[in-house]
Amino acid sequence: MTRASGPGVLDALSLLTEVADELVVRSVRDTHDAWADRFGGYPGRRITSAVYGGVSVGLRAASAGLDKVAAAGVGPRLEEGPRGRFVSSAVNGLIGDRLVRERPRMAFGTTVRAQGRDVPLDADGLAAAYPRATGRLVVFLHGLCENESYWERWRERTGTTYAEMLAEEGWTPVYLRANTGLGLRENGAALSSLMQRLVEAWPVPVDRVALVGHSMGGLILRAAGAVASEVEEPWTDRVSDIVTLGTPHLGAPIARGIGHGSRGLSRLPETAAFGRILDWRSVGVHDLVAGLAEDVPPLPHARYRLVAATLTARERHPVGHVLGDLLVRPPSAYGRDRYGQELFPDATVLHLGRTDHFGLLNHPEVHTALREWLA
């Protein structure tokens, strides 16, 4: 009997019980004790401590038991359904760095994806996955807590996807998957290595590469392009266009707010546990606070296309200026700071009104722009 591969539902349940112990039980206990100490303590503290301890031991035992069963490949795989894939991608974005160290079975790698599985980066594997390969590659990379299936969102609105539309124009779409909980530069180094192998093993000579990133995906693509390569023909020489959709080049307010909230809550014993919950976020989320500034310069020969969205029809509307697409503001998506400096002075910019962050994944105006930009 063949053992099932990949993380399963039991792996997720084991992680859930571990999180319940570390964040929920311990946070309730610490908050309870802190408030009690502020008012002079309370009788029966030994009893409540024993109760908390018993619950914690039970959860740890349950987690260990689930791990043993999951290691045998029992139960359905998370990748078998959309809900499981959603859980996997969300967990990798939130605590992906911890998964690499503590639960590698659940951690995403940096991979090429086709038909719901990883594609081997050798001539045979790529030829089988891309039987109609052309010399023009358009590479798609998702954002934080996402996976490659997110590029299918809003398909019912447009009747197609960016990848399908560009395939009709002679491009070969390639979807990537990355562990967005890792740091931007770590992901960039892994992606650069993958792209070099992809270009070298591609079934036909590669003439042109276009990169399309949503949200954090755009930052990882930039980080990958900045990795120095010692090979004779680096993959970056073939990059003609880089398109970023709602990418926080100069950081995202929500990530900055989480950091401020974590530090503020940690100052008082009564709220320190809640600060610890916020601080459980991954290195990848931490990196969204600042984005990537001028220390990661643009590729000199590539054309940059920067797309921003606002909830309001007009970009300069006060609400749109403050909220942006709910996660990223237009100045950050364009790489423009408050002092007038621009990361991409020659870039083409596009604003989409009445659109949120995830509406950028399959938007009619982006379809039109991509067809023009990658003609």
Side-chain angles (χ1 to χ4, degrees), residues 92-167:
N92 271 266
L94 294 173
I95 56 170
D97 50 343
R98 291 185 59 150
L99 293 181
V100 170
R101 299 190 304 269
E102 302 171 10
R103 292 177 174 269
R105 279 169 50 84
M106 294 192 68
F108 284 170
T110 303
T111 56
V112 173
R113 300 282 294 180
Q115 298 178 342
R117 62 179 182 271
D118 293 348
V119 177
L121 289 181
D122 54 42
D124 292 339
L126 290 171
Y130 303 97
R132 299 180 180 178
T134 68
R136 292 189 293 167
L137 307 185
V138 56
V139 177
F140 294 91
L141 182 57
H142 58 80
L144 177 71
C145 293
E146 299 173 18
N147 58 55
E148 69 282 357
S149 66
Y150 275 63
W151 293 104
E152 299 286 329
R153 286 199 167 193
W154 305 112
R155 194 181 193 284
E156 70 281 0
R157 179 173 62 184
T158 58
T160 185
T161 65
Y162 299 149
E164 291 174 1
M165 179 271 295
L166 290 172

Side-chain angles (χ1 to χ4, degrees), residues 154-313:
W154 305 112
R155 194 181 193 284
E156 70 281 0
R157 179 173 62 184
T158 58
T160 185
T161 65
Y162 299 149
E164 291 174 1
M165 179 271 295
L166 290 172
E168 295 175 356
E169 301 291 326
W171 291 82
T172 302
V174 176
Y175 288 124
L176 302 182
R177 175 182 284 191
N179 181 344
T180 53
L182 299 178
L184 292 175
R185 286 168 175 78
E186 183 176 356
N187 264 325
L191 178 56
S192 182
S193 175
L194 178 146
M195 287 298 301
Q196 189 65 43
R197 294 166 60 197
L198 177 69
V199 168
E200 291 176 353
W202 194 248
V204 299
V206 176
D207 302 318
R208 185 176 172 189
V209 175
L211 306 175
V212 181
H214 177 241
S215 194
M216 179 190 278
L219 294 175
I220 298 174
L221 292 173
R222 282 182 56 203
V227 175
S229 178
E230 298 179 357
V231 299
E232 185 176 347
E233 296 183 358
W235 68 275
T236 49
D237 287 353
R238 296 174 174 84
V239 176
S240 62
D241 298 86
I242 298 177
V243 181
T244 64
L245 309 174
T247 292
H249 293 290
L250 296 178
I254 188 169
R256 193 174 298 114
I258 291 173
H260 291 328
S262 173
R263 288 189 294 273
L265 290 170
S266 298
R267 292 177 180 176
L268 295 175
E270 295 84 356
T271 58
F274 299 102
R276 186 168 64 241
I277 291 174
L278 290 180
D279 212 38
W280 235 57
R281 65 198 189 279
S282 64
V283 175
V285 178
H286 275 279
D287 280 355
L288 286 181
V289 172
L292 292 175
E294 62 276 358
D295 59 324
V296 181
L299 293 176
H301 56 277
R303 295 180 290 266
Y304 283 78
R305 325 290 195 171
L306 313 173
V307 183
T310 58
L311 299 178
T312 55

Side-chain angles (χ1 to χ4, degrees), residues 1 42 68 72 74 85 157-158 177 213 215 274 297 328 355:
M1 179 174 150
Y42 61 97
K68 289 181 180 179
V74 175
R85 289 192 292 271
R157 179 173 62 184
T158 58
R177 175 182 284 191
S215 194
F274 299 102
V328 179
T355 304

